[in-house]
Amino acid sequence: MSSLRHFIVEPTKSSPAIDFNPETHSMSLRGESYPENCARFYEPVFDWLRDYLAASQSEPMVLDMEIIYFNSSSSKAFMDLFDLLDGAAQAGKPVSVRWRYHEENETALECGEEFQEDVQHMAFELVPVSA
């Protein structure tokens, strides 16, 4: 497990802060997500995650997501992310996602509910956050 480095991406106006820690098995995406080239932005995230899942079978993993705004390309990337994690959960890895949304942001709640409906094997928790 020690061969995997701590994966950190600083936030920008159009991309989220990413913090994936292989030692604590905790991951977070926070901020806004509408990068110009979404596939290119998230590619290293998926590469890291695939390596992590291959190296870490049994440790419970938690992904905290607090995305204030995201575009349709990011939505597709998140769906792919949840599919990857759901597959790992189906294979026996304990995976949970905490979708944090601001209480007054109805759209973020609805998106979280849609993502929640699409996963079958991992825990997906909707967590209201006070502004």
Side-chain angles (χ1 to χ4, degrees), residues 16-20 27-31 41-42 45 63-67 78 81:
I18 299 173
D19 184 351
F20 286 6
M27 290 148 204
S28 69
L29 279 86
R30 298 188 191 284
F41 177 80
Y42 282 105
V45 173
L63 171 61
D64 267 308
M65 291 192 64
E66 190 170 336
I67 304 296
F78 297 159
L81 175 69

Side-chain angles (χ1 to χ4, degrees), residues 57 86-93:
Q57 295 303 312
D86 205 38
Q90 184 176 13
K93 179 163 184 65

